[in-house]
Amino acid sequence: MNINKQYKEKEVLVFVEGEIDAFTAPKLREELWHLSEKENATVTINLKEVTYLDSTGLGVFVGLFKRLNSNNGELKLIELSNRLYKLFEMTGLINIMDICVNSEDGGR
């Protein structure tokens, strides 16, 4: 799994590539957790190049979402494949998180 970040004023754009599973999720959590510490931060995660996501990976996003919300921040997940979108839909997370299939959707 590869993780690249681009920093703007109060927003961080994160590009994730590869599989997010029980083996790689701790690395993802470690890379993202500090981004949720700032007040009013926006973290946008591009999942276009993610080929697999399991429940451990979902847990990373749920934890990040909760932490950002507690600091008045925002989590956006963009450019999800149809398979990833369906996973978030089946879990009901699509109804509480800002998730879009492509970056032009603007969410949900």
Side-chain angles (χ1 to χ4, degrees):
M1 177 181 64
N2 292 315
I3 303 166
N4 295 303
K5 300 176 206 135
Q6 294 178 356
Y7 294 88
K8 295 183 181 178
E9 285 182 27
K10 289 190 177 185
E11 180 177 9
V12 180
L13 181 56
V14 181
F15 295 89
V16 182
E17 299 176 17
E19 297 183 356
I20 305 172
D21 56 21
F23 181 72
T24 60
K27 177 185 176 187
L28 181 64
R29 181 181 292 114
E30 183 180 317
E31 290 282 332
L32 298 177
W33 197 250
H34 73 279
L35 301 176
S36 63
E37 294 173 342
K38 292 182 180 180
E39 279 289 316
N40 302 312
T42 298
V43 178
T44 301
I45 303 176
N46 185 309
L47 298 175
K48 182 178 182 177
E49 300 298 326
V50 171
T51 56
Y52 178 79
L53 176 69
D54 71 5
S55 60
T56 312
L58 282 173
V60 170
F61 294 121
V62 170
L64 184 63
F65 173 78
K66 288 180 178 179
R67 178 125 174 192
L68 280 161
N69 275 348
S70 71
N71 289 326
N72 297 312
E74 183 178 6
L75 174 64
K76 297 178 183 179
L77 303 177
I78 63 170
E79 296 201 47
L80 281 71
S81 67
N82 286 335
R83 180 190 298 170
L84 291 183
Y85 186 88
K86 287 180 193 281
L87 182 60
F88 280 91
E89 188 174 45
M90 287 184 341
T91 60
L93 293 171
I94 201 81
N95 297 318
I96 60 170
M97 292 182 166
D98 188 355
I99 299 174
C100 61
V101 175
N102 64 56
S103 58
E104 288 82 40
D105 279 352
R108 295 194 197 127

